[in-house]
Amino acid sequence: MLFRSSADAVVVTAAYDLPPSASISGNVFRDDDASGTRNGSEPGLAGWTVYQDFNNNGILDLTTTSIFNSTDTPKLAADPGTTFSNLTIAGLAGTISNIKVTVNINHPTDGQLYVSLISPGNIPVIMSNYQGGTGANFVNTTFDDAASTPIASGTAPFTGSFKPYFDLGRLNGVSPNGTWKLRLDDSTAGNQGTIVSWSMQITYTEIGRAHV
């Protein structure tokens, strides 16, 4: 943990961490006698920000963006049926403020497919709901709430960025840690597909920010 002044002049490193779900509260003071407790004569320090410096860069990162690739691919899809591909994230502090999902799926008839993301907390988001008609494949398809074209208005193989069927923003505010699942449902027998690869780009915030 770092205690950093607003003038960025002094850094004090404490030898302990907070769990990712923690918060920070209390008083910041100048510990003149290095006792770890505040004596009556030790002044408080106004205008300081206390935060957990999870990436140890000495800077309060309001947001950090990272890309995570699933290693649970390629995966042959059930025909018909449901297939899950996992992606596990661990050790991140803070909560999600934005998420994008990129998929590569081979299938001769996209209109038979239902594609969704399920969070570690079991929050589902439908990204493609049997879109694509008789078109084939999802090729470097990025589901992004900020995209201008809804997936329902796109054309297979859906290369580029598309607004998902439901907003991924419903995952904002949750922890990125845990096992995420890409769910692929194939409604009709006879055309088998493959989850070739998929990844998530997650923007998250450092935890425990408190202005003192």
Side-chain angles (χ1 to χ4, degrees), residues 1-3 12 16 23-31 36-39 42-50 210-212:
M1 178 182 294
L2 295 182
F3 294 75
V12 179
Y16 59 91
S23 61
I24 296 174
S25 62
N27 298 308
V28 179
F29 61 93
R30 194 178 71 204
D31 190 16
T37 58
R38 186 178 184 181
N39 299 320
E42 293 174 333
L45 298 172
W48 286 54
T49 301
V50 181
H211 294 281
V212 183

Side-chain angles (χ1 to χ4, degrees), residues 13 30 32 39 49 60 66 73 83 94 97 107 129 153 159 173-174 176 180 185 187 207:
T13 303
R30 194 178 71 204
D32 292 333
N39 299 320
T49 301
L60 173 59
S66 300
T73 57
T83 305
S97 58
H107 194 280
N129 190 20
S153 300
T159 301
V174 306
W180 296 79
D185 289 271
S187 65
I207 67 165

